[in-house]
Amino acid sequence: MRSILAVDDSASMRKMVSFTLTGAGFHVVEAVDGQDALEKAQTHAIDLVLTDQNMPRLDGLGLTRKLREQPKFQSTPILILTTESSDQMKQAGRAAGATGWLVKPFDPGRLIEVIHKVIR
């Protein structure tokens, strides 16, 4: 079973994402912010990271940069799921190493489709 690290400071958003991913057959590890995600990424086998952008302690771009610095996460797909939709933010995401950018509110079917496209 593929494992996805779902990172969002909103408990309701984490639950919605987790429900969608679990229903599609994925194992979900939840994290409350980027710092929590970094710690959990060290102790769990992660096949994909799905992260919010705007969070306390460490935002999505910061998390992406820190994961990309580690050899075991250099090819792990990282999707940013956020309310941010400006081209400038999307470019910053690409520069940080994000695989893709999805805008909230998300369509569950589309989210699963994108994950299947990028997961190895």
Side-chain angles (χ1 to χ4, degrees), residues 22-104:
T22 304
F26 293 103
H27 171 71
V28 179
V29 176
E30 294 183 20
V32 298
D33 61 29
Q35 191 59 47
D36 185 34
L38 265 183
E39 291 161 15
K40 288 184 173 160
Q42 302 312 313
T43 56
H44 294 82
I46 302 296
D47 297 298
L48 181 138
V49 177
L50 182 65
T51 181
D52 184 23
Q53 166 51 22
N54 300 311
M55 300 178 289
R57 295 204 301 164
L58 184 61
D59 67 13
L61 294 178
L63 171 62
T64 300
R65 282 188 208 98
K66 287 190 178 292
L67 288 172
R68 290 294 186 227
E69 289 170 3
Q70 300 176 38
K72 75 176 189 175
F73 292 109
Q74 286 179 348
S75 63
T76 302
I78 300 175
L79 299 174
I80 298 181
L81 177 64
T82 180
T83 54
E84 299 279 350
S85 61
S86 72
D87 287 340
Q88 185 178 357
M89 282 302 290
K90 290 176 185 174
Q91 286 173 344
R94 274 193 295 277
T99 309
W101 193 276
L102 300 157
V103 178
K104 292 178 190 172

Side-chain angles (χ1 to χ4, degrees), residues 1-4 20-27 47-48 50 77 79 99 102 108-120:
M1 183 183 289
R2 298 299 186 126
S3 195
I4 296 178
T20 299
L21 298 176
T22 304
F26 293 103
H27 171 71
D47 297 298
L48 181 138
L50 182 65
L79 299 174
T99 309
L102 300 157
R110 177 84 180 114
L111 176 63
I112 297 306
E113 186 183 307
V114 170
I115 287 171
H116 281 298
K117 273 186 189 164
V118 299
I119 207 163
R120 288 171 179 80

